[in-house]
Each structure stands twice: as C-alpha cells, then as structure tokens.
Amino acid sequence: MFNFFKKKFADPTPAVRAEAAATDAPASMQRQSWLSKLKAGLRKTGGSIATVFIGTQIDDALYEDLESALLMADTGVKATEWLLQDLKRRVKDSRTTDPAAVKGLLVESLCHLLAPLQKPLVIGHYKPTVIMVAGVNGAGKTTSIGKLTRHLADTFRAAAREQLGVWADRNTVDIISQDGGDPAAVSFDAVSAGKARGRDVVLIDTAGRLPTQLHLMEELKKIKRVIQKAGPADDQASATDPTDASVGADSRIPPHEVLLVIDGNTGQNALHQVKSFDDALGLTGLIVTKLDGTAKGGVLAAIARERPVPVLFIGVGEKLEDLETFNAREFAQALLT
Ligand SMILES: Nc1nc2c(ncn2[C@@H]2O[C@H](COP(=O)(O)OP(=O)(O)OP(=O)(O)O)[C@@H](O)[C@H]2O)c(=O)[nH]1
Ligand SMILES: [Mg+2]
C-alpha cells in the first residue's frame, strides 16, 4: 500500500525537502513548477487580500479591510470570523507593529485552518480501489479523471520500478462505457471487470447534467448502491481472512472513495454543493478545480470551517500537470506571498 503521490510529492519538512532536492531533482522541480503555477492561479484571490497589508499601521481599519477582502474572496462569514480572531491573537502574542508581518501571521492562521483538509488519497489498500466521482455539470469531473488516470499510471509505474518488475509492462488503462446504457449498470460492469481483471483502481465518472438537482442526487445514490452490490474488494493491508465477512466487511465494499469535484470559481455555491452531496452520498474527498483565474479561492477556508471534507486534489488549469495534491501550507503561502 502506498499513499498516492507519496514518492513524488510527500509533504516534507524542510530537512527532508533539502534531501529530496538532492536525490530526486526531477520530482522537486516538478513541484516547484507546480508551486509557481499555483501562485499564479491564486493571484486574483490573494492579490486583493495582500493589498490590506501595504499600510504602515496595524489598526481597526486594517482588520476591517481584511474582513471585506476575505468575504469578497468567498471565505464566508464563519471562516472570516475565525481567521480574524486567530490572527489578532497571533499579532498580540508576537507584539509586532509591522503590517507586513501580519501578513505572515495570516499565512499561519490560514495554514492552521486548512490543515484538517489535507489528506492523501490512499490506493493499494483494496484491490481494486473503487473511486466514484460526482459533481454538477461542467465542474471538471472528466478532465480530473483523465489527469488522475495518468498520474496513477505514473505512480504505479514508479512503484513497479522500485518493487515489482511485473507491474511495469502491464497494460494500464481500460475504459468501460456504454452509449445510452443505464449509468448504474455500466458502473457495476466496470467494478466487476476491475475485480475480474485484477486491476488496482477503478474510477467511475458520472454525468452532472440532469433536469434537477434532486434527479441528480437520486441517480448518484442509485449508482452508489449498485456499485456496492458488486461485492467486497480484496483487502491487501489487513491480515484478516478475506473470506471472513464479519471482519472489516464494510470497508471492503466499494466504492472506497466518493469524491466530489467542485468548480473553485463558484465560491459559496461550491460550499453548498459540498454540503448537499455529502448529505446524499457521504463524501470521502473533494477535488477543487479551476482555482486558476478565480477571485474566490477563499472557499477552501469556508469548507474547512463549515464542512471539512478532505481536499485530495486541486486543479489550476486544463493541462495534465495542472492537477496536484493539496497541501495546506503551500496553498496558504501561494495565496499570500
Ligand atoms: N481553467 C481550468 N479549466 C478546467 C479545470 N478543470 C477542468 N477544466 C475545464 O472545465 C470544462 C469542463 O470540464 P469537464 O471535465 O468536461 O466537466 P465535467 O464535470 O465532466 O462535466 P459533465 O460531464 O458535463 O458534467 C472543460 O473545458 C475543462 O477543460 C481547471 O482546473 N482549470
Ligand atoms: Mg464529464
């Protein structure tokens, strides 16, 4: 079992990062180029917040401006209140009188707020690991699945080189689809095929366009129920007898992950989607797309405060390399520095 992207992009302490830079230059270069992309993508959101700190005094006006800037960035009332309170405490403790230093303290507050959202996607625990992907029309589901598929193939190839030569030559991706077929039945077929063919991962794309939100939820719930009927996957991590249904039976039943893709551009509306999809489906993670060019990137803080479903990946563009794992500190720094 390994955490997705662990090899390439773990969240290293500075010491480990230095070591990684020495031994794994291409990976750290990739992460560097991702960081500059992330920074560019978040410029619109971060820019208006950063202007609050260009004055010479830390006073009520600064906090009021900051409050407006955070609300404008769709941080939401609750997260904005939390951030202001936490920041004021940090400013008091540090006894700083320099507005520029307050920006650095805001990075710390934001980092603290976002940290619970940071969680790696674990694959390899179940065989196959079944990942159902939901989201409204145009959120970026299919694009994200395409990017993930490529990353997964790379991750497995990297693991294969290091551990098991046999994985290397394996034909990596099958696509199961059926025009006009019942989505739940196609999903069931895909999971069954994944099991029969000994695949590592099954990704299930779903449609976002249905007459109403209610129709969409009902269809997604049905897809989830039908996927469950495909029966338990092999548990690769536990030492228990896989035929003993009384042990860990629930966790082996697919889908192992139910991910919601949200369009970061939709701000507070994305938060509403998280709440309603989570209520209907029991989400295990989020993919937040289109953070490039939006002024509403504060929505991640709102999610952290109001419905902290882990953010597994964030997207800042349409290209393959524009989807990456979410790291709270990177995000806070990219946003504000
Ligand atoms: N700028 C930008 N565009 C993105 C990103 N992710 C996806 N897109 C674009 O968003 C559009 C919609 O993406 P899709 O992947 O088709 O969305 P979907 O959720 O599968 O849509 P439906 O299947 O119709 O429900 C496409 O033009 C993508 O290229 C991103 O991170 N940044
Ligand atoms: Mg699609």
Side-chain angles (χ1 to χ4, degrees), residues 164-175:
L164 298 162
V166 289
W167 283 7
D169 308 317
R170 212 159 61 182
N171 139 25
T172 39
V173 181
D174 293 344
I175 295 177

Side-chain angles (χ1 to χ4, degrees), residues 10-20:
D11 173 25
T13 60
V16 178
R17 192 183 285 274
E19 184 189 300

Side-chain angles (χ1 to χ4, degrees), residues 57-71:
Q57 280 185 36
I58 304 173
D59 51 15
D60 286 348
L62 182 149
Y63 288 118
E64 276 163 29
D65 289 350
L66 180 59
E67 182 176 24
S68 318
L70 288 170
L71 291 171

Side-chain angles (χ1 to χ4, degrees), residues 27-324:
S28 83
M29 271 161 63
Q30 273 180 40
R31 196 66 182 184
Q32 277 310 316
S33 92
W34 159 253
L35 286 181
S36 43
K37 233 177 270 169
L38 181 63
K39 218 169 150 168
L42 292 175
R43 197 163 286 147
K44 272 199 194 156
T45 304
S48 50
I49 302 174
T51 55
V52 171
F53 303 104
I54 53 178
T56 53
Q57 280 185 36
I58 304 173
D59 51 15
D60 286 348
L62 182 149
Y63 288 118
E64 276 163 29
D65 289 350
L66 180 59
E67 182 176 24
S68 318
L70 288 170
L71 291 171
M72 291 292 286
D74 266 349
T75 304
V77 174
K78 288 180 187 156
T80 299
E81 267 173 21
W82 187 93
L83 282 168
L84 282 170
Q85 213 172 22
D86 189 73
L87 179 65
K88 284 178 183 170
R89 184 184 56 75
R90 285 176 198 270
V91 170
K92 203 169 152 219
D93 290 352
S94 75
R95 298 208 179 91
T96 184
T97 53
D98 174 14
V102 180
K103 193 167 80 168
L105 294 173
L106 180 59
V107 171
E108 295 306 317
S109 296
L110 190 58
C111 193
H112 193 76
L113 177 62
L114 296 178
L117 297 184
Q118 188 180 316
K119 193 193 112 180
L121 172 62
V122 176
I123 48 169
H125 189 145
Y126 301 104
K127 194 179 173 91
T129 298
V130 177
I131 304 173
M132 174 177 169
V133 181
V136 301
N137 179 37
K141 295 178 292 297
T142 306
T143 313
S144 298
I145 285 177
K147 293 169 179 172
L148 269 180
T149 306
R150 166 66 185 280
H151 279 309
L152 281 164
D154 284 352
T155 307
F156 275 108
R157 264 198 295 275
R161 269 200 299 275
E162 283 156 31
Q163 305 163 3
L164 298 162
V166 289
W167 283 7
D169 308 317
R170 212 159 61 182
N171 139 25
T172 39
V173 181
D174 293 344
I175 295 177
I176 311 249
S177 66
Q178 198 189 332
D179 268 347
D182 171 51
V186 179
S187 305
F188 181 87
D189 287 350
V191 176
S192 304
K195 287 175 68 160
R197 297 175 198 175
R199 293 308 198 191
D200 297 300
V201 181
V202 176
L203 283 154
I204 305 200
D205 195 3
T206 61
R209 192 194 299 275
L210 275 178
T212 69
Q213 176 102 338
L214 188 64
H215 281 101
L216 178 61
M217 292 305 178
E218 288 312 314
E219 168 148 304
L220 291 169
K221 282 198 242 178
K222 179 177 165 198
I223 292 174
K224 187 180 173 190
R225 273 196 311 273
V226 172
I227 291 172
Q228 285 166 339
K229 292 193 179 129
D234 287 342
D235 186 337
Q236 312 256 92
S238 139
T240 53
D241 176 359
T243 59
D244 180 0
S246 68
V247 181
D250 281 348
S251 69
R252 289 183 290 136
I253 299 282
H256 307 103
E257 301 282 349
V258 180
L259 307 186
L260 176 70
V261 178
I262 49 174
D263 177 341
N265 234 328
T266 55
Q268 286 291 307
N269 191 21
L271 174 64
H272 293 142
Q273 288 167 21
V274 173
K275 288 179 176 169
S276 50
F277 279 80
D278 189 31
D279 290 342
L281 297 171
L283 299 175
T284 62
L286 303 177
I287 299 178
V288 186
T289 63
K290 308 189 198 181
L291 284 169
D292 49 311
T294 179
K296 298 180 174 179
V299 69
L300 261 72
I303 290 169
R305 198 71 196 133
E306 296 185 50
R307 189 62 71 100
V309 179
V311 176
L312 303 185
F313 301 95
I314 54 178
V316 294
E318 296 179 81
K319 292 206 287 295
L320 209 52
E321 62 275 17
D322 296 339
L323 187 81
E324 267 300 343

